Short mmCIF file of all heavy atoms in Angstrom, two decimals:
data_model
loop_
_atom_site.label_atom_id
_atom_site.label_comp_id
_atom_site.label_asym_id
_atom_site.label_seq_id
_atom_site.Cartn_x
_atom_site.Cartn_y
_atom_site.Cartn_z
N VAL A 14 -22.66 -4.38 -7.79
CA VAL A 14 -23.05 -3.96 -6.45
C VAL A 14 -21.78 -3.93 -5.60
O VAL A 14 -21.16 -4.97 -5.36
CB VAL A 14 -24.12 -4.90 -5.85
CG1 VAL A 14 -24.47 -4.47 -4.43
CG2 VAL A 14 -25.36 -4.91 -6.73
N GLY A 15 -21.39 -2.74 -5.15
CA GLY A 15 -20.13 -2.55 -4.42
C GLY A 15 -19.23 -1.64 -5.24
O GLY A 15 -18.87 -1.97 -6.37
N ALA A 16 -18.89 -0.48 -4.67
CA ALA A 16 -18.08 0.50 -5.39
C ALA A 16 -16.73 0.67 -4.72
O ALA A 16 -16.20 1.76 -4.64
CB ALA A 16 -18.81 1.83 -5.47
N GLY A 17 -16.19 -0.43 -4.22
CA GLY A 17 -14.89 -0.37 -3.54
C GLY A 17 -13.76 -0.69 -4.50
O GLY A 17 -13.85 -0.43 -5.70
N LYS A 18 -12.70 -1.27 -3.95
CA LYS A 18 -11.51 -1.57 -4.75
C LYS A 18 -11.86 -2.47 -5.91
O LYS A 18 -11.51 -2.23 -7.07
CB LYS A 18 -10.44 -2.22 -3.86
CG LYS A 18 -9.95 -1.31 -2.75
CD LYS A 18 -8.83 -1.93 -1.94
CE LYS A 18 -9.27 -2.97 -0.94
NZ LYS A 18 -10.00 -2.41 0.22
N MET A 19 -12.60 -3.55 -5.60
CA MET A 19 -12.88 -4.53 -6.64
C MET A 19 -13.98 -4.05 -7.59
O MET A 19 -13.87 -4.17 -8.81
CB MET A 19 -13.27 -5.87 -6.00
CG MET A 19 -13.23 -7.02 -6.96
SD MET A 19 -11.57 -7.21 -7.69
CE MET A 19 -11.92 -8.34 -9.01
N GLY A 20 -15.06 -3.52 -7.02
CA GLY A 20 -16.18 -3.09 -7.85
C GLY A 20 -15.76 -2.06 -8.89
O GLY A 20 -16.13 -2.14 -10.07
N SER A 37 -23.50 0.42 -7.71
CA SER A 37 -24.11 0.94 -6.48
C SER A 37 -23.22 0.67 -5.28
O SER A 37 -22.39 -0.24 -5.28
CB SER A 37 -25.47 0.28 -6.24
OG SER A 37 -25.32 -1.09 -5.94
N GLY A 38 -23.39 1.50 -4.23
CA GLY A 38 -22.77 1.26 -2.93
C GLY A 38 -23.87 1.00 -1.93
O GLY A 38 -25.02 0.74 -2.31
N SER A 39 -23.54 1.10 -0.64
CA SER A 39 -24.57 0.79 0.35
C SER A 39 -25.48 1.99 0.59
O SER A 39 -26.55 1.84 1.14
CB SER A 39 -23.93 0.36 1.67
OG SER A 39 -23.23 1.44 2.25
N GLY A 40 -25.03 3.16 0.20
CA GLY A 40 -25.84 4.36 0.46
C GLY A 40 -26.44 4.90 -0.81
O GLY A 40 -26.54 4.20 -1.83
N ARG A 44 -23.25 9.37 -2.88
CA ARG A 44 -22.06 9.08 -2.07
C ARG A 44 -20.94 8.43 -2.87
O ARG A 44 -19.79 8.46 -2.47
CB ARG A 44 -22.44 8.18 -0.88
CG ARG A 44 -22.56 8.99 0.39
CD ARG A 44 -22.77 8.15 1.62
NE ARG A 44 -22.01 6.91 1.67
CZ ARG A 44 -22.30 5.91 2.47
NH1 ARG A 44 -23.33 6.00 3.28
NH2 ARG A 44 -21.56 4.82 2.47
N ILE A 45 -21.31 7.79 -3.99
CA ILE A 45 -20.25 7.14 -4.76
C ILE A 45 -20.05 7.81 -6.13
O ILE A 45 -19.23 7.36 -6.92
CB ILE A 45 -20.53 5.64 -4.96
CG1 ILE A 45 -21.88 5.43 -5.68
CG2 ILE A 45 -20.51 4.89 -3.64
CD1 ILE A 45 -22.02 4.02 -6.24
N THR A 61 -28.90 0.29 -5.69
CA THR A 61 -28.77 -1.15 -5.94
C THR A 61 -29.98 -1.68 -6.71
O THR A 61 -29.84 -2.53 -7.60
CB THR A 61 -28.58 -1.90 -4.61
OG1 THR A 61 -27.34 -1.45 -4.01
CG2 THR A 61 -28.49 -3.41 -4.81
N LEU A 73 -21.46 -9.15 -7.67
CA LEU A 73 -21.61 -8.80 -6.26
C LEU A 73 -20.22 -8.66 -5.64
O LEU A 73 -19.50 -9.65 -5.48
CB LEU A 73 -22.43 -9.88 -5.54
CG LEU A 73 -22.79 -9.62 -4.08
CD1 LEU A 73 -23.49 -8.28 -3.89
CD2 LEU A 73 -23.66 -10.75 -3.53
N ALA A 74 -19.84 -7.42 -5.32
CA ALA A 74 -18.49 -7.12 -4.81
C ALA A 74 -18.58 -6.27 -3.55
O ALA A 74 -18.04 -5.17 -3.48
CB ALA A 74 -17.65 -6.43 -5.88
N VAL A 75 -19.29 -6.80 -2.57
CA VAL A 75 -19.36 -6.14 -1.26
C VAL A 75 -18.57 -7.01 -0.27
O VAL A 75 -18.33 -8.18 -0.54
CB VAL A 75 -20.82 -5.96 -0.77
CG1 VAL A 75 -21.65 -5.25 -1.84
CG2 VAL A 75 -21.46 -7.29 -0.39
N PRO A 76 -18.15 -6.43 0.85
CA PRO A 76 -17.48 -7.27 1.84
C PRO A 76 -18.41 -8.41 2.25
O PRO A 76 -19.62 -8.22 2.40
CB PRO A 76 -17.23 -6.32 3.01
CG PRO A 76 -17.26 -4.95 2.42
CD PRO A 76 -18.27 -5.04 1.30
N MET A 77 -17.84 -9.60 2.42
CA MET A 77 -18.66 -10.78 2.67
C MET A 77 -19.56 -10.62 3.90
O MET A 77 -20.68 -11.11 3.91
CB MET A 77 -17.70 -11.96 2.86
CG MET A 77 -18.32 -13.29 2.78
SD MET A 77 -18.15 -14.22 1.25
CE MET A 77 -19.83 -14.75 1.00
N ARG A 79 -21.25 -8.34 4.68
CA ARG A 79 -22.38 -7.44 4.45
C ARG A 79 -23.38 -7.95 3.42
O ARG A 79 -24.40 -7.31 3.19
CB ARG A 79 -21.87 -6.05 4.07
CG ARG A 79 -21.00 -5.46 5.18
CD ARG A 79 -20.69 -4.01 4.98
NE ARG A 79 -21.89 -3.18 4.92
CZ ARG A 79 -21.84 -1.87 4.71
NH1 ARG A 79 -20.68 -1.26 4.55
NH2 ARG A 79 -22.96 -1.18 4.66
N PHE A 80 -23.13 -9.13 2.82
CA PHE A 80 -24.04 -9.54 1.74
C PHE A 80 -25.44 -9.84 2.26
O PHE A 80 -26.43 -9.74 1.54
CB PHE A 80 -23.47 -10.71 0.92
CG PHE A 80 -23.62 -12.07 1.54
CD1 PHE A 80 -24.67 -12.91 1.18
CD2 PHE A 80 -22.71 -12.53 2.49
CE1 PHE A 80 -24.81 -14.17 1.73
CE2 PHE A 80 -22.84 -13.79 3.05
CZ PHE A 80 -23.90 -14.62 2.67
N GLU A 82 -27.13 -8.11 4.14
CA GLU A 82 -27.95 -6.88 4.20
C GLU A 82 -28.89 -6.79 3.00
O GLU A 82 -29.86 -6.04 3.03
CB GLU A 82 -27.05 -5.63 4.16
CG GLU A 82 -26.23 -5.41 5.39
CD GLU A 82 -25.18 -4.31 5.19
OE1 GLU A 82 -25.26 -3.54 4.21
OE2 GLU A 82 -24.28 -4.24 6.04
N LEU A 83 -28.56 -7.51 1.93
CA LEU A 83 -29.35 -7.39 0.71
C LEU A 83 -30.56 -8.32 0.78
O LEU A 83 -30.43 -9.46 1.24
CB LEU A 83 -28.48 -7.74 -0.50
CG LEU A 83 -27.35 -6.74 -0.74
CD1 LEU A 83 -26.23 -7.35 -1.57
CD2 LEU A 83 -27.89 -5.48 -1.41
N ALA A 96 -18.29 -12.43 -6.48
CA ALA A 96 -16.85 -12.10 -6.49
C ALA A 96 -16.30 -11.98 -5.07
O ALA A 96 -15.19 -11.51 -4.87
CB ALA A 96 -16.62 -10.81 -7.25
N MET A 97 -17.09 -12.43 -4.10
CA MET A 97 -16.71 -12.18 -2.70
C MET A 97 -15.84 -13.30 -2.14
O MET A 97 -16.00 -14.47 -2.46
CB MET A 97 -17.97 -12.08 -1.84
CG MET A 97 -18.91 -10.95 -2.24
SD MET A 97 -20.33 -10.85 -1.14
CE MET A 97 -21.17 -12.40 -1.47
N ASN A 98 -14.91 -12.87 -1.28
CA ASN A 98 -14.12 -13.83 -0.51
C ASN A 98 -14.36 -13.61 0.96
O ASN A 98 -14.48 -12.47 1.40
CB ASN A 98 -12.63 -13.65 -0.82
CG ASN A 98 -12.31 -13.98 -2.27
OD1 ASN A 98 -12.61 -15.07 -2.73
ND2 ASN A 98 -11.74 -13.02 -2.98
N TYR A 99 -14.37 -14.69 1.71
CA TYR A 99 -14.49 -14.57 3.15
C TYR A 99 -13.10 -14.49 3.77
O TYR A 99 -12.28 -15.40 3.60
CB TYR A 99 -15.26 -15.77 3.72
CG TYR A 99 -15.18 -15.85 5.23
CD1 TYR A 99 -15.74 -14.83 6.01
CD2 TYR A 99 -14.52 -16.89 5.87
CE1 TYR A 99 -15.65 -14.87 7.39
CE2 TYR A 99 -14.43 -16.94 7.25
CZ TYR A 99 -14.99 -15.92 8.00
OH TYR A 99 -14.89 -15.95 9.37
N TRP A 100 -12.83 -13.36 4.45
CA TRP A 100 -11.58 -13.17 5.17
C TRP A 100 -11.91 -12.93 6.61
O TRP A 100 -12.54 -11.92 6.92
CB TRP A 100 -10.84 -11.92 4.67
CG TRP A 100 -10.38 -11.92 3.27
CD1 TRP A 100 -10.94 -11.26 2.22
CD2 TRP A 100 -9.21 -12.57 2.76
NE1 TRP A 100 -10.18 -11.47 1.10
CE2 TRP A 100 -9.12 -12.27 1.40
CE3 TRP A 100 -8.21 -13.38 3.34
CZ2 TRP A 100 -8.09 -12.73 0.58
CZ3 TRP A 100 -7.20 -13.83 2.53
CH2 TRP A 100 -7.14 -13.51 1.18
N ASP A 104 -13.86 -9.74 7.78
CA ASP A 104 -15.28 -10.02 7.99
C ASP A 104 -15.62 -10.48 9.40
O ASP A 104 -16.79 -10.62 9.73
CB ASP A 104 -15.72 -11.10 6.98
CG ASP A 104 -15.49 -10.64 5.55
OD1 ASP A 104 -15.95 -9.53 5.21
OD2 ASP A 104 -14.84 -11.37 4.77
N LEU A 134 -14.44 -14.04 -10.67
CA LEU A 134 -13.81 -12.72 -10.51
C LEU A 134 -13.28 -12.51 -9.09
O LEU A 134 -13.00 -11.37 -8.70
CB LEU A 134 -14.79 -11.58 -10.85
CG LEU A 134 -15.49 -11.60 -12.21
CD1 LEU A 134 -16.28 -10.31 -12.41
CD2 LEU A 134 -14.53 -11.80 -13.36
N ASN A 135 -13.16 -13.58 -8.34
CA ASN A 135 -12.73 -13.42 -6.94
C ASN A 135 -11.29 -13.83 -6.69
O ASN A 135 -10.72 -13.48 -5.66
CB ASN A 135 -13.60 -14.30 -6.05
CG ASN A 135 -13.27 -15.77 -6.26
OD1 ASN A 135 -13.42 -16.28 -7.37
ND2 ASN A 135 -12.77 -16.44 -5.24
N HIS A 136 -10.69 -14.58 -7.61
CA HIS A 136 -9.42 -15.22 -7.21
C HIS A 136 -8.17 -14.46 -7.61
O HIS A 136 -7.06 -14.91 -7.36
CB HIS A 136 -9.37 -16.69 -7.69
CG HIS A 136 -9.43 -16.89 -9.17
ND1 HIS A 136 -8.32 -16.76 -9.97
CD2 HIS A 136 -10.46 -17.22 -9.99
CE1 HIS A 136 -8.68 -17.01 -11.22
NE2 HIS A 136 -9.97 -17.28 -11.26
N LEU A 137 -8.36 -13.26 -8.19
CA LEU A 137 -7.21 -12.38 -8.43
C LEU A 137 -7.37 -11.12 -7.60
O LEU A 137 -8.48 -10.60 -7.48
CB LEU A 137 -7.17 -11.95 -9.90
CG LEU A 137 -6.66 -12.93 -10.94
CD1 LEU A 137 -6.68 -12.27 -12.31
CD2 LEU A 137 -5.23 -13.39 -10.61
N GLY A 138 -6.27 -10.62 -7.04
CA GLY A 138 -6.31 -9.33 -6.35
C GLY A 138 -6.70 -8.25 -7.35
O GLY A 138 -6.49 -8.40 -8.55
N TYR A 139 -7.25 -7.15 -6.85
CA TYR A 139 -7.79 -6.16 -7.79
C TYR A 139 -6.71 -5.53 -8.66
O TYR A 139 -6.96 -5.16 -9.79
CB TYR A 139 -8.62 -5.09 -7.06
CG TYR A 139 -7.83 -4.07 -6.27
CD1 TYR A 139 -7.61 -2.79 -6.76
CD2 TYR A 139 -7.32 -4.37 -5.01
CE1 TYR A 139 -6.89 -1.85 -6.04
CE2 TYR A 139 -6.61 -3.43 -4.28
CZ TYR A 139 -6.39 -2.18 -4.80
OH TYR A 139 -5.68 -1.24 -4.08
N TYR A 140 -5.51 -5.42 -8.13
CA TYR A 140 -4.51 -4.81 -9.01
C TYR A 140 -3.89 -5.82 -9.97
O TYR A 140 -3.46 -5.46 -11.04
CB TYR A 140 -3.46 -4.00 -8.25
CG TYR A 140 -2.56 -4.77 -7.35
CD1 TYR A 140 -1.37 -5.30 -7.81
CD2 TYR A 140 -2.90 -4.94 -6.01
CE1 TYR A 140 -0.53 -6.01 -6.95
CE2 TYR A 140 -2.07 -5.64 -5.17
CZ TYR A 140 -0.88 -6.18 -5.64
OH TYR A 140 -0.06 -6.86 -4.82
N PHE A 200 -5.76 -19.53 -5.74
CA PHE A 200 -6.07 -18.19 -5.26
C PHE A 200 -4.84 -17.27 -5.28
O PHE A 200 -3.77 -17.63 -4.84
CB PHE A 200 -6.63 -18.23 -3.84
CG PHE A 200 -7.16 -16.91 -3.37
CD1 PHE A 200 -8.43 -16.51 -3.71
CD2 PHE A 200 -6.36 -16.06 -2.64
CE1 PHE A 200 -8.92 -15.29 -3.31
CE2 PHE A 200 -6.84 -14.83 -2.23
CZ PHE A 200 -8.12 -14.44 -2.57
N ARG B 120 -7.56 2.39 9.60
CA ARG B 120 -8.41 1.30 10.09
C ARG B 120 -7.57 0.08 10.40
O ARG B 120 -8.01 -0.83 11.06
CB ARG B 120 -9.48 0.95 9.05
CG ARG B 120 -10.42 2.11 8.79
CD ARG B 120 -11.51 1.73 7.84
NE ARG B 120 -10.99 1.24 6.57
CZ ARG B 120 -11.74 0.87 5.55
NH1 ARG B 120 -13.06 0.92 5.66
NH2 ARG B 120 -11.20 0.46 4.44
N GLU B 138 -16.38 0.14 9.52
CA GLU B 138 -16.55 1.46 8.90
C GLU B 138 -17.02 2.51 9.91
O GLU B 138 -16.45 3.59 10.01
CB GLU B 138 -17.64 1.39 7.82
CG GLU B 138 -17.21 0.79 6.53
CD GLU B 138 -16.22 1.68 5.78
OE1 GLU B 138 -16.31 2.92 5.86
OE2 GLU B 138 -15.33 1.11 5.13
N GLY B 189 -6.04 1.67 -0.32
CA GLY B 189 -6.53 1.48 -1.68
C GLY B 189 -8.04 1.62 -1.79
O GLY B 189 -8.58 1.60 -2.89
N SER B 190 -8.70 1.77 -0.66
CA SER B 190 -10.16 1.88 -0.72
C SER B 190 -10.56 3.30 -1.10
O SER B 190 -10.20 4.27 -0.43
CB SER B 190 -10.75 1.51 0.65
OG SER B 190 -11.93 2.24 0.85
N PRO B 191 -11.32 3.45 -2.17
CA PRO B 191 -11.75 4.79 -2.58
C PRO B 191 -12.57 5.49 -1.50
O PRO B 191 -12.47 6.70 -1.32
CB PRO B 191 -12.56 4.56 -3.86
CG PRO B 191 -12.77 3.08 -3.97
CD PRO B 191 -11.74 2.41 -3.12
N GLN B 192 -13.36 4.71 -0.76
CA GLN B 192 -14.17 5.33 0.30
C GLN B 192 -13.27 6.00 1.34
O GLN B 192 -13.61 7.05 1.87
CB GLN B 192 -15.06 4.27 0.98
CG GLN B 192 -16.34 3.94 0.23
CD GLN B 192 -16.12 3.04 -0.99
OE1 GLN B 192 -15.05 2.45 -1.16
NE2 GLN B 192 -17.12 2.94 -1.84
N1 LIG C 401 -9.80 -6.19 -3.07
C1 LIG C 401 -9.52 -7.20 -3.88
O1 LIG C 401 -8.41 -7.29 -4.40
C2 LIG C 401 -10.56 -8.23 -4.18
C3 LIG C 401 -10.32 -9.17 -5.18
C4 LIG C 401 -11.28 -10.13 -5.47
C5 LIG C 401 -12.45 -10.15 -4.74
N2 LIG C 401 -12.65 -9.23 -3.75
C6 LIG C 401 -13.91 -9.30 -2.98
O2 LIG C 401 -14.74 -8.23 -3.37
C7 LIG C 401 -15.52 -7.79 -2.27
C8 LIG C 401 -15.30 -6.30 -2.11
O3 LIG C 401 -13.92 -6.09 -1.77
P1 LIG C 401 -13.25 -4.66 -1.89
O4 LIG C 401 -11.81 -4.88 -1.65
O5 LIG C 401 -13.69 -4.01 -3.11
O6 LIG C 401 -13.91 -3.94 -0.62
P2 LIG C 401 -14.07 -2.39 -0.34
O7 LIG C 401 -13.04 -1.62 -1.08
O8 LIG C 401 -14.18 -2.26 1.13
O9 LIG C 401 -15.49 -2.02 -1.00
C9 LIG C 401 -16.69 -2.59 -0.58
C10 LIG C 401 -17.83 -1.89 -1.28
O10 LIG C 401 -19.03 -2.58 -0.99
C11 LIG C 401 -20.04 -1.63 -0.71
N3 LIG C 401 -21.09 -2.19 0.09
C12 LIG C 401 -21.03 -2.65 1.36
N4 LIG C 401 -22.23 -3.10 1.75
C13 LIG C 401 -23.06 -2.92 0.72
C14 LIG C 401 -24.44 -3.17 0.51
N5 LIG C 401 -25.20 -3.74 1.45
N6 LIG C 401 -24.98 -2.83 -0.70
C15 LIG C 401 -24.24 -2.27 -1.66
N7 LIG C 401 -22.92 -2.01 -1.52
C16 LIG C 401 -22.34 -2.33 -0.34
C17 LIG C 401 -19.31 -0.52 -0.04
O11 LIG C 401 -20.07 0.65 -0.15
P3 LIG C 401 -20.24 1.73 1.03
O12 LIG C 401 -18.88 2.35 1.24
O13 LIG C 401 -21.23 2.65 0.46
O14 LIG C 401 -20.69 0.99 2.26
C18 LIG C 401 -18.04 -0.46 -0.86
O15 LIG C 401 -18.26 0.32 -2.01
C19 LIG C 401 -15.08 -8.58 -1.07
O16 LIG C 401 -15.96 -9.63 -0.84
C20 LIG C 401 -13.72 -9.10 -1.49
O17 LIG C 401 -13.40 -10.34 -0.88
C21 LIG C 401 -11.75 -8.27 -3.47
#
Side-chain angles (χ1 to χ4, degrees):
Chain A
V14 178
K18 297 184 282 289
M19 195 58 192
S37 68
S39 66
R44 259 187 39 198
I45 59 164
T61 297
L73 185 54
V75 307
M77 195 101 227
R79 300 191 60 182
F80 80 97
E82 290 170 14
L83 294 159
M97 299 183 294
N98 295 304
Y99 169 64
W100 296 104
D104 301 308
L134 306 187
N135 71 299
H136 62 81
L137 282 181
Y139 74 102
Y140 66 90
F200 189 83
Chain B
R120 297 184 303 182
E138 282 291 327
S190 149
Q192 279 76 13

